[in-house]
Amino acid sequence: MTDDRHDFGTGSLKASVICHGAELLALHNGTEDLLWNAGPEWPKHSPILFPIIGKLPEHDITLNGQPVHLKQHGLARDRVFRWIARTSEGCTLELVDDAESRTLFPAAFRLQVVYLIENNTLRVSYHLHNPDSTETLHASLGAHPAFRWPLKDGVAKDSYRLVFEYDEPLPVRRVGADGLMLPEKFHTPIRDNILPLTDALFAKDAVIMEKPESRSVDMVDPDGHGLRFVWGGFRELGIWTKPGAAFLCIEPWYGYATPSGFTGDFSQKPGLLHLKPGESWTAFWSVKAI
């Protein structure tokens, strides 16, 4: 344990979190690494997406008449969170708006992230609060954990599949070359409840499920070895990799990339949470080896 890193875990499952971005840095099940090692193809492990998911348009965007200057996926992943609690089973970190954050995103917020390992399962919870007494907080929040793909050495990537809790027949969304949500919808690549995983699936970036019925999905090889991912409180689900890289991101979101052609006030951007003064919102995801 150091000032900027916390190691914790029970049973065979161990994890590490850093205060920069409140990011999950490592997840080990015995001798097996479940989390991507942040290689050169994508130098992240599990960033927090807040207060936007994806990009904003290149033209000026304002919130209540004040400029918004957010890079892709927002500001949380680049800020240092404060440690609230640190135990052998987990930790809690907090990020609160300040003068610097308000130059990028002119709004008050308090975001707590809680990591907990119980019964060989990692659970990550998000608690977003609007402390403002008069203004509504307009924001998105998403998780972006990257898991090793393949999880087991010597197993072919394209032998893996995602098995959803329920059938998922609805069309999916995609983003364009500019990182903005395309206006059209696309036939789902999911057949019944199974999505075969190949690099070609992500040649046009992420597969975005707007309102999946499922709240769990298994990432498994032909022998059924893999992981079970569960989520709650989020509305959308993104699935993404960089073709050729050895990771797969399973990303529960509340919100999505800005639609192409959007020109309104930030508060009118589709897909946002709208927390009235004093309101809070919570969501979580969990993962375990199976």
Side-chain angles (χ1 to χ4, degrees):
M1 184 186 301
T2 64
D3 288 344
D4 61 353
R5 172 176 172 147
H6 182 61
D7 302 319
F8 60 96
T10 60
S12 63
L13 194 62
K14 310 294 183 182
S16 300
V17 169
I18 54 174
C19 60
H20 185 94
E23 187 173 5
L24 181 66
L25 189 70
L27 186 63
H28 308 285
N29 183 48
T31 60
E32 184 178 55
D33 290 327
L34 300 182
L35 204 67
W36 163 245
N37 64 1
E41 298 92 337
W42 188 61
K44 294 286 185 180
H45 302 272
S46 182
I48 296 170
L49 316 183
F50 173 81
I52 59 169
I53 294 163
K55 293 182 178 180
L56 293 176
E58 291 186 359
H59 58 75
D60 292 340
I61 293 289
T62 58
L63 175 59
N64 298 328
Q66 300 180 67
V68 177
H69 299 296
L70 293 170
K71 298 187 297 183
Q72 183 174 8
H73 295 322
L75 57 83
R77 64 180 187 168
D78 297 320
R79 298 298 302 273
V80 175
F81 284 60
R82 181 169 67 96
W83 298 108
I84 300 297
R86 306 172 75 175
T87 72
S88 60
E89 292 83 28
C91 58
T92 300
L93 304 96
E94 182 180 72
L95 181 67
V96 179
D97 68 283
D98 57 21
E100 181 182 356
S101 74
R102 287 191 291 271
T103 66
L104 306 173
F105 180 62
F109 64 84
R110 183 170 73 244
L111 173 60
Q112 287 194 349
V113 185
V114 181
Y115 291 90
L116 179 66
I117 289 180
E118 288 184 324
N119 300 318
N120 283 328
T121 299
L122 172 67
R123 181 183 173 102
V124 186
S125 303
Y126 306 85
H127 305 270
L128 179 62
H129 177 68
N130 178 11
D132 199 288
S133 60
T134 59
E135 298 291 338
T136 296
L137 172 60
H138 310 280
S140 288
L141 193 148
H144 201 327
F147 302 102
R148 290 181 61 216
W149 175 35
L151 283 162
K152 184 183 289 186
D153 293 339
V155 179
K157 287 180 66 179
D158 60 6
S159 71
Y160 278 80
R161 63 196 185 280
L162 292 181
V163 182
F164 288 89
E165 180 183 13
Y166 300 115
D167 294 346
E168 298 290 352
L170 296 181
V172 299
R173 303 296 295 270
R174 295 280 195 168
V175 295
D178 57 2
L180 303 182
M181 184 81 83
L182 295 172
E184 63 265 35
K185 297 184 180 182
F186 300 86
H187 291 297
T188 179
I190 303 167
R191 296 294 174 259
D192 297 322
N193 67 328
I194 296 176
L195 177 62
L197 294 173
T198 66
D199 277 335
L201 179 64
F202 305 101
K204 294 185 178 180
D205 211 275
V207 175
I208 300 167
M209 304 167 68
E210 284 190 283
K211 293 182 179 179
E213 183 74 14
S214 300
R215 285 296 176 267
S216 70
V217 64
D218 294 346
M219 177 187 173
V220 290
D221 65 18
D223 296 328
H225 171 273
L227 56 82
R228 176 161 296 154
F229 188 90
V230 178
W231 67 95
F234 294 101
R235 190 179 55 192
E236 288 81 20
L237 186 73
I239 306 164
W240 175 75
T241 190
K242 284 193 172 183
F247 69 84
L248 182 77
C249 293
I250 305 174
E251 308 177 39
W253 303 336
Y254 199 108
Y256 43 79
T258 307
S260 181
F262 174 76
T263 58
D265 186 80
F266 182 90
S267 63
Q268 300 169 340
K269 192 170 87 70
L272 297 175
L273 285 158
H274 303 284
L275 298 182
K276 295 178 181 179
E279 282 191 338
S280 299
W281 169 86
T282 64
F284 80 94
W285 62 267
S286 69
V287 65
K288 67 177 182 179
I290 56 174

